[in-house]
């Protein structure tokens, strides 16, 4: 536990999350989702706190659940979370060139998935359920249909322009 | 039982209200069309409608956001129900023309109608579009026709009518018998008879029990459950309430995957609305029957679609399957008897109860009754969501409803049933789609994902793709699945890289069968299906990769060779400058050549050559 990470979690926020979820261990996944909503990832101290505070849980159990589900990230995600679909329909219609174009554009390589400025993070998901519009990319809650390596560059440029305003 | 709600009367009121909406404009508000900008289209229609006081025979216009129409390829879809007109690919800038010409002027806008790819004719009516004409909709009957966020519109189309009748008659056993008689089988994958599941769970009546809806639609390429939850949420709620009444449960959960935010939003609203009007919650319709529903969001784990893993996940634990027995019917959620059904299965229930088991079982084949939804995607002209009677052939689905293969390419295979299913070929096109026929052919109905593949898809790469998926999603609890999928993937990766040996094929088949036989849950038991079915039907492609070191479809990067044709090369040096790894050498005005050891086959040179001198072999 480093001092840096201690500064990142706010006990009052965590207490509220636990209370909102009824304080019951069966709502652990919902608690972690709320923690991730606040911090854009699940900080180690948040896991330790919830594991100690909630009855019948331990930090080890919380860590086990957080690492089991793909949605939870133990490292910070970007302000813009890019979810690129590589489900069957998207794969057949060419999602790999789109994923590669994003990686090239954002200089994400060697397993790195968040940009240095913390603006973007990229993950590949298995299906977003919009297979009729393959290949699909989702940036936060917005779905972009029928992507190509050129089209996604335009999407990213538009976001960058907004940010630089 | 005495009911405090007269559903017939409620229905009449709701239908009257729809009439009072005046001119109805239905705009698809499913995930696909929202992505294509349907919210802006709706806003524009509303803006135009508000300013005009005289609308052909109506005094006002109402824009209705509906659920998925299924024809996602053609979105944004706009339907004028009274005029029997469907507009496709509507953009924001088209709205004014539709409004002025058709809604006010009564003259359809021809250029926005669907064009039949075979006849090149404009088609106006929904029923005349081949994609819709050949379908029979049960679970999806209301999707696209009603406002997905309105309880009243659901009631107007017989919503909660079946529940009301059942509560009046007050005979749970008769409900179970009706489901048994209908022949309905689980639509989530395995096809277990739904009535039997209900009967087994009802046998443990007495204490606390639960109804759980499995909305963890994780199969890549399937989105029927999403469409039901988004487009007709009340049908699912009614189906769950009927199930709860039949098995004696008073509490239920809908487990929805986190990738479906819109479905979660609509379900939450639907539950709140239904509880407020006593169609759900405490003392439903004034009777003693109570049923409280909760929503649980998943967190991105494919294995949670397996029922015992799903139960573990609802309990807040790692979503790992548990050995069976005990079955959930005896010991499920929080250790209590639990009925778990898939979204589509439950959505069929109200229709079966309303129209009768006989009606339902008159559709389909000997062993597979009723209709089934399929998500038709991949290299097919009309992608989207369809519902057809069980036993419809692949040919009818792909070529009649789907309009054939896009870009005039040749049909090669169809992958059915997601990562648990298999690839079927041309020889299976006339196979009736039912549980038994597909299992016999080495595939399965599964959730109903149909991914059509054309001649330029590499089947070995497809097998690798699926194995990569199941390897990632294996929960790691049992050894055959955890280690087996990993090693199957290793061998497949070796083959697509051109480093395979003939004996790998034997090991592949052997290992695949071990994983199939030895795994704990459905994920592992079915994970080798894509490998086994491609080995069975496309062995020549495996051999081409291993012996000839060639990928017949030209997909596998490692087996490609990029070459410069000396006679066409003018020595402009553009390729050498484009190459990211400096693999191209040559002097100005002299033919260049590619150093194959350095080449990463990115095709940057090929795409940039002004003289088309670079080819892929």
């Amino acid at each position: 536990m480093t001092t840096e990470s201690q500064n990142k979690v706010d006990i009052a926020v965590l207490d509220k999350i636990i209370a909102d979820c009824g304080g019951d261990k069966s709502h652990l996944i919902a608690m972690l989702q709320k923690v991730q909503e606040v911090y854009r990832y699940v900080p180690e101290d948040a896991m330790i706190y919830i594991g100690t505070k909630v009855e019948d849980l331990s930090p080890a159990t919380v860590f086990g659940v957080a690492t089991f589900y793909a949605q939870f990230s133990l490292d910070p995600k970007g302000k813009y979370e890019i979810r690129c679909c590589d489900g069957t329909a998207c794969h057949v219609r060419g999602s790999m060139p789109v994923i590669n174009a994003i990686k090239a554009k954002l200089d994400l390589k060697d397993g790195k998935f968040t940009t240095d400025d913390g603006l973007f993070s990229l993950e590949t998901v298995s299906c977003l359920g919009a297979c009729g519009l393959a290949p699909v990319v989702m940036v936060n809650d917005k779905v972009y249909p029928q992507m190509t390596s050129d089209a996604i560059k335009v999407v990213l440029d538009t976001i960058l322009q907004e940010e630089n305003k | 039982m005495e009911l405090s709600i007269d559903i017939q009367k409620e229905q009449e009121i709701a239908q009257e209200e729809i009439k009072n909406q005046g001119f109805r404009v239905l705009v698809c508000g499913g995930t696909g069309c929202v992505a294509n900008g349907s919210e802006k289209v709706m806003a524009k229609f509303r803006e135009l409608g508000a300013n005009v006081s005289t609308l052909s025979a109506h005094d006002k216009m109402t824009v209705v956001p509906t659920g998925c129409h299924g024809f996602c390829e053609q979105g944004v879809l706009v339907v004028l129900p009274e005029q029997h007109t469907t507009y496709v690919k509507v953009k924001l800038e088209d709205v004014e023309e539709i409004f002025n010409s058709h809604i006010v002027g009564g003259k359809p806008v021809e250029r926005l109608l669907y064009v039949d790819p075979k006849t090149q004719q404009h088609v106006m009516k929904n029923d005349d579009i081949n994609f819709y004409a050949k379908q029979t909709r049960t679970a999806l009957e209301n999707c696209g026709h009603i406002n997905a966020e309105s309880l009243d519109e659901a009631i107007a189309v017989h919503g909660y009518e079946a529940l009301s009748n059942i509560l009046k008659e007050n005979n749970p056993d008769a409900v179970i018998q009706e489901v048994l008689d209908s022949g309905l089988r689980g639509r989530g994958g395995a096809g277990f008879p739904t009535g039997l599941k209900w009967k087994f769970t009802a046998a443990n009546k007495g204490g606390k029990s639960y109804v759980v809806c499995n909305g963890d639609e994780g199969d890549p390429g399937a989105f029927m459950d999403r469409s039901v939850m988004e487009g007709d949420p009340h049908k699912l709620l009614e189906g769950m309430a009927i199930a709860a009444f039949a098995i004696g449960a008073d509490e239920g959960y809908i487990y929805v995957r986190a990738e479906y935010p819109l479905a979660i939003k609509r379900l939450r609203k639907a539950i709140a609305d239904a509880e407020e009007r006593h169609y759900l919650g405490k003392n439903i319709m004034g009777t003693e029957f109570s049923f409280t529903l909760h929503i649980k969001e998943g967190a991105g784990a494919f294995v949670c679609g397996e029922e015992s893993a799903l139960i573990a996940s609802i309990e807040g634990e790692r979503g790992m399957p548990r050995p069976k027995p005990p079955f959930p019917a005896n010991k499920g959620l929080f250790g209590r008897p639990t009925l778990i059904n898939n979204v589509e299965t439950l959505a069929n229930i109200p229709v079966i109860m309303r129209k009768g088991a006989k009606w339902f079982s008159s559709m389909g084949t000997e062993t597979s009754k009723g209709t089934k939804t399929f998500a038709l995607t991949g290299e097919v002209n009309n992608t989207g969501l369809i519902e057809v009677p069980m036993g419809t052939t692949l040919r009818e689905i792909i070529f009649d409803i789907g309009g054939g293969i896009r870009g005039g390419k040749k049909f090669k295979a169809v992958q059915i049933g997601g990562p648990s299913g298999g690839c079927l070929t041309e020889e299976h096109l006339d196979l009736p789609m039912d549980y038994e026929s597909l299992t016999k052919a080495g595939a399965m109905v599964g959730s109903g994902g149909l991914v059509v593949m054309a001649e330029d898809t590499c089947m070995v790469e497809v097998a690798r793709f699926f194995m990569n998926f199941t390897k990632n999603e294996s929960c790691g609890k049992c050894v055959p699945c955890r280690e087996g999928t990993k090693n199957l993937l290793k061998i497949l990766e070796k083959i697509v890289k051109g480093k395979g040996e003939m004996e790998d094929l034997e090991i592949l088949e052997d290992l695949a069968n071990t994983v199939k036989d030895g795994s704990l849950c459905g994920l592992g038991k079915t994970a080798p299906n894509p490998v086994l079915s491609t080995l069975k039907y496309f062995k020549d492609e495996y051999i081409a990769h291993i012996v000839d070191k060639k990928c017949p479809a030209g997909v596998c990067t490692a087996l490609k060779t990029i070459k410069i044709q000396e006679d066409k090369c003018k020595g402009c040096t553009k390729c050498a400058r484009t190459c990211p790894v400096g693999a191209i050498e040559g002097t100005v005005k002299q033919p260049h050549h590619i150093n194959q050891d350095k080449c990463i086959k990115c095709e940057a040179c090929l795409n940039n050559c002004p003289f088309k001198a670079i080819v892929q072999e």
Side-chain angles (χ1 to χ4, degrees), chain A residues 122-142:
Chain A
L122 170 70
E123 63 177 315
T124 343
V125 294
S126 289
C127 189
L128 293 169
C131 318
L133 306 168
V136 176
V137 176
M138 213 167 154
V139 181
N140 291 342
D141 274 348
K142 195 164 165 22

Side-chain angles (χ1 to χ4, degrees), chain B residues 346-366:
Chain B
L346 289 163
N348 271 302
I349 298 292
V351 194
I352 291 173
M353 299 315 292
R354 205 174 70 235
K355 296 189 180 173
K358 253 200 190 124
W359 165 82
F360 189 79
S361 62
S362 70
M363 296 180 289
T365 64
E366 193 56 43

Side-chain angles (χ1 to χ4, degrees), chain B residues 34 115 139 145 153 155 184 237 264 275 354 386 454 473 484 491 497 529 534 536 603:
Chain B
V34 169
V115 179
H145 300 296
E153 293 212 7
I155 291 172
L184 175 67
L237 304 189
I264 293 169
E275 278 185 353
R354 205 174 70 235
I386 62 164
E473 295 296 344
I491 301 173
K497 279 188 183 139
N529 280 351
T534 46
K536 188 168 168 193
E603 299 184 13

Side-chain angles (χ1 to χ4, degrees), chain B residues 176-326:
Chain B
I176 296 178
Q177 193 55 47
E178 192 77 6
V179 178
L180 271 170
D181 291 345
S182 74
L184 175 67
R185 294 169 64 173
R187 297 298 194 233
F192 190 79
T194 307
L196 271 185
K197 221 178 197 181
W198 288 30
K199 204 172 152 183
F200 292 152
T201 321
N204 297 308
K205 233 178 224 177
K208 179 95 183 165
S209 54
Y210 294 96
V211 173
V212 173
C213 168
N214 185 346
D216 191 48
E217 186 175 47
D219 274 12
F223 53 99
M224 53 284 291
D225 294 346
R226 175 177 69 68
S227 297
V228 171
M229 292 187 282
E230 282 177 13
D232 195 3
H234 287 285
K235 180 169 266 130
L236 174 62
L237 304 189
E238 188 185 0
M240 287 187 77
I242 293 171
F245 176 76
I247 65 151
D250 67 349
E251 203 171 347
Y253 285 88
I254 307 178
Y255 187 92
V256 192
R257 63 198 292 250
E259 286 87 344
Y260 289 176
L262 189 61
I264 293 169
K265 186 184 138 214
R266 295 224 170 117
L267 282 171
R268 280 196 204 286
K269 181 168 190 323
I271 291 174
D273 289 351
E275 278 185 353
E276 201 194 319
R277 304 253 302 262
H278 304 288
Y279 291 102
L280 269 185
K282 286 236 146 50
N283 301 103
I284 295 176
M285 301 191 198
T287 65
E288 287 154 23
F289 172 58
S290 298
F291 182 56
T292 319
L293 255 178
H294 314 280
I295 290 182
K296 276 274 182 178
E297 278 180 56
F302 174 69
V303 70
C304 288
E306 199 279 339
E307 55 184 15
S308 64
L310 186 141
I311 288 174
S313 185
I314 294 182
E315 291 171 356
E317 295 178 11
R318 289 165 76 99
M320 283 176 160
R322 297 163 179 175
K324 289 185 261 187

